[in-house]
Amino acid sequence: MAYYVLLAKGQGLAYEGLPVVVNAHGPTAWALEANQQLPDGQEYVDLDFMERECVRRADRIVSPSRWLLEWMRSHQWEISSGRAHVIPNLMPAELRAGTGSAPERQPVRRVVFFGRFEMRKGLKLFCDAISCLGEEERRRLERIVFLGRPLLLPGGLDSRSYIAERSARWGLPVEIWTDKNRDEAVSFLQSPGTLAVMPSLAENSPYTVLECLSLGIPFLASKVGGIPEMIPPEEHRVHLCEPAPQPLADRIAQALTHGIRPASLAWDHATVEADWLSLLRDVGGRKQIQPVPRAEERPLVSVCLVHYNRPQMLAQALDSIRAQTYPNLEVVLVDDGSPDPEAQSFLDGLPAQFEPHGWRIIRQPNLYPGAARNRAAREAKGEFLLFMDDDNIARPPLVETLVHAVLRSGADVMTCALSFFEGREPPLALKRLWIPLGGAVGSGAFYNAFGDANALWRREAFWRIGGYSTDYGVAFEDWELFAEAVLSGLRLEMVPEPLFWYRVQDGSRSRATDS
């Protein structure tokens, strides 16, 4: 949702003056890396693109840790220093009691794994560390508790079954608690003799650690990600350890033998709240609205319309162009060798309608849509080229909206959302929508994430990459051209509004071509 909001805002179509602040916490790519997974589907690539665009387009970016901002920058996220802020997460007032170190060490009788039951949260690491404990340390333990939410582990193994199998030889009472609400969990962790353990392999600024710090709960955690920023440096050696079994086992053994104090929080909750309020006041007071281009600045748009043997549909397409709200346009119609007499008769009657407007008709042998579109583009006079197929129907604001979005955003190519329909007439209401991503180069390796051929191009950008491919009998030439555009460094965006009706027909060229 945020991606499409920011697209519309950047194109000057909606949300004028609305400040957008992105709170970066767990990017999809970071979570995959932390879980030691590769993306196994195109949806991960889609999410990564949208998240990066949200951060790039936002007025401000807030991260609870400096570490995550540096991770993002090292993975080529576009984050300027002037827009980025490090402000810790807020905590409810009822979870702020007990901040600060207790005066004395507290004995430990039970150890609690606190967090989701997954490998990234250190489930295997914790089990390995308990297995490393000596007999003397185990005798000091009353029980071990797993407190959190169960998940399926890699390979489909239930995490509770994994815990049961790993703990079978510990010789200790083991309990698995998955149904506790926050208040119940906190109450248990605050009971004397409890040590919370959060042995994550990767983290940003976890709430489990923040809760323990805010409520004075003794804990051990991995020295990873943004966790070290949450604790004063002088207390790291007591409460943090490297994410490996033996160092964690050593820290647990030390706490069992000598007790452990609660750790101090590296910041004050009141200061964090003040920082958030200051940021929101600042962005709320900045409203930068760019001027809309004046009517006399509206550039000429050449509608490059390609036709083959569909005169009735062509008539509807032409009617929709005549109904456009944008005043400065021309039509260049290329008939790609239509053999049907009815089509030829319809074309013969068009010059009388076209000539008063300076519109043109070009007839050529059948060379397929790519070549026909290139011919229309060569004959066009406009600064912008709008390609359109004869079976589509433009909604009245199509040209005006695309031109406005291109001029405001500075894009080279502008596609848009569309509404599908079947039959002769489009429905009265928009129903079946296709909302592509726009310039998502990674997603475009899997499917056409860019948009439909019904798109607006800057003329020089279109010819910079050589125009459409002209392979006869092969479809998806729009997908190919859009991919060429973004791979060549052109800027492609998508208007998140359905601006034309796309007619779905049996026997279409795309269904006969291997994608």
Side-chain angles (χ1 to χ4, degrees):
M1 295 297 288
Y3 168 61
Y4 291 113
V5 165
L6 285 161
L7 266 186
K9 180 185 176 186
Q11 295 162 3
L13 301 175
Y15 310 107
E16 291 278 17
L18 174 71
V20 178
V21 180
V22 169
N23 189 22
H25 191 81
T28 295
W30 171 81
L32 284 171
E33 180 182 293
N35 284 317
Q36 300 179 348
Q37 290 178 287
L38 290 172
D40 61 1
Q42 138 263 314
E43 66 272 13
Y44 289 103
V45 188
D46 293 351
L47 284 169
D48 181 65
F49 168 76
M50 288 188 282
E51 290 168 357
R52 287 171 181 266
E53 283 294 286
C54 285
V55 165
R56 184 176 74 83
R57 294 170 177 273
D59 296 283
R60 300 293 179 89
I61 303 99
V62 180
S63 170
S65 72
R66 290 181 181 83
W67 177 87
L68 181 63
L69 286 178
E70 292 308 311
W71 181 93
M72 295 166 77
R73 289 188 176 110
S74 71
H75 287 72
Q76 290 79 53
W77 291 59
E78 294 185 38
I79 307 175
S80 61
S81 57
R83 294 185 301 122
H85 304 264
V86 177
I87 308 178
N89 293 319
L90 286 165
M91 287 292 284
E94 65 269 20
L95 293 181
R96 298 182 186 179
T99 302
S101 297
E104 297 181 357
R105 297 176 185 269
Q106 300 180 17
V108 173
R109 298 193 301 275
R110 65 190 73 86
V111 173
V112 181
F113 176 90
F114 184 31
R116 293 192 303 273
F117 302 167
E118 62 175 331
M119 296 310 181
R120 178 170 72 86
K121 293 296 183 178
L123 180 62
K124 179 180 183 298
L125 171 57
F126 178 82
C127 292
D128 289 345
I130 297 299
S131 297
C132 290
L133 289 176
E135 290 297 326
E136 182 177 349
E137 287 79 17
R138 294 191 193 192
R139 283 197 296 268
R140 298 178 186 273
L141 273 172
E142 172 189 298
R143 56 179 162 157
I144 293 176
V145 176
F146 289 82
L147 176 61
R149 181 161 58 90
L151 294 173
L152 285 179
L153 302 177
L157 178 64
D158 180 75
S159 54
R160 287 167 293 197
S161 300
Y162 176 83
I163 293 170
E165 180 182 337
R166 291 299 311 271
S167 63
R169 293 186 294 275
W170 288 347
L172 291 167
V174 174
E175 298 175 12
I176 302 174
W177 294 359
T178 61
D179 59 349
K180 304 297 182 186
N181 61 34
R182 189 189 68 185
D183 292 339
E184 291 171 332
V186 164
S187 176
F188 170 68
L189 290 171
Q190 287 182 304
S191 60
T194 302
L195 173 68
V197 180
M198 290 81 77
S200 299
L201 303 180
E203 280 291 2
N204 175 16
S205 187
Y207 270 99
T208 52
V209 173
L210 185 54
E211 286 170 347
C212 290
L213 284 164
S214 300
L215 295 170
I217 297 169
F219 72 89
L220 298 174
S222 297
K223 192 176 182 179
V224 296
I227 293 178
E229 299 175 37
M230 306 174 75
I231 305 168
E234 62 273 15
E235 298 185 28
H236 287 186
R237 61 182 183 83
V238 175
H239 298 280
L240 303 182
C241 67
E242 297 301 321
Q246 195 58 57
L248 178 57
D250 292 343
R251 292 294 171 85
I252 293 174
Q254 187 176 16
L256 288 168
T257 304
H258 303 290
I260 188 171
R261 294 187 179 94
S264 306
L265 183 59
W267 57 78
D268 177 76
H269 288 299
T271 302
V272 171
E273 188 170 301
D275 288 345
W276 272 107
L277 290 172
S278 175
L279 171 69
L280 296 176
R281 288 192 197 99
D282 183 33
V283 297
R286 297 172 183 262
K287 294 189 177 181
Q288 300 175 348
I289 302 177
Q290 301 177 24
V292 178
R294 296 189 302 274
E296 61 267 24
E297 295 176 337
R298 289 177 171 172
L300 176 64
V301 175
S302 298
V303 180
C304 299
L305 183 59
V306 175
H307 168 252
Y308 181 79
N309 258 11
R310 297 186 287 208
Q312 293 180 344
M313 296 180 187
L314 175 60
Q316 289 182 318
L318 288 170
D319 285 343
S320 73
I321 295 171
R322 294 186 187 100
Q324 290 298 299
T325 58
Y326 190 83
N328 193 17
L329 58 81
E330 67 166 359
V331 173
V332 181
L333 171 61
V334 174
D335 177 67
D336 194 33
S338 296
D340 185 69
E342 183 182 354
Q344 292 299 320
S345 176
F346 180 82
L347 293 168
D348 290 342
L350 287 179
Q353 304 174 33
F354 275 31
E355 288 172 1
H357 304 287
W359 297 2
R360 282 162 291 155
I361 303 173
I362 299 164
R363 301 191 187 192
Q364 68 176 29
N366 180 248
L367 298 174
Y368 232 59
R373 292 188 186 124
N374 288 345
R375 177 70 184 277
R378 282 194 295 271
E379 300 291 337
K381 299 176 182 178
E383 179 185 344
F384 289 92
L385 308 174
L386 175 65
F387 294 97
M388 184 170 171
D389 290 337
D390 60 359
D391 57 342
N392 292 338
I393 299 176
R395 300 183 70 208
L398 169 69
V399 179
E400 185 169 19
T401 304
L402 291 177
V403 171
H404 181 99
V406 161
L407 294 178
R408 180 64 68 84
S409 68
D412 300 295
V413 192
M414 190 67 67
T415 64
C416 65
L418 58 86
S419 180
F420 294 106
F421 78 104
E422 298 176 2
R424 178 171 172 76
E425 300 290 341
L428 296 177
L430 298 167
K431 293 183 178 179
R432 297 167 54 203
L433 301 183
W434 179 41
I435 309 174
L437 288 176
V441 60
S443 302
F446 293 87
Y447 68 104
N448 182 2
F450 309 115
D452 184 70
N454 204 122
L456 186 73
W457 287 75
R458 294 182 186 269
R459 180 190 182 93
E460 63 86 19
F462 178 77
W463 289 119
R464 193 190 313 170
I465 57 173
Y468 279 98
S469 63
T470 56
D471 296 331
Y472 188 87
V474 178
F476 298 115
E477 70 284 343
D478 52 348
W479 179 5
E480 181 177 354
L481 185 66
F482 291 142
E484 181 72 18
V486 295
L487 289 168
S488 299
L490 294 180
R491 184 172 164 191
L492 186 153
E493 288 194 11
M494 192 279 304
V495 169
E497 181 179 351
L499 296 175
F500 70 96
W501 300 94
Y502 181 97
R503 185 182 265 110
V504 179
Q505 302 182 78
D506 292 332
S508 66
R509 295 178 301 108
S510 60
R511 297 184 182 183
T513 299
D514 188 328
S515 62

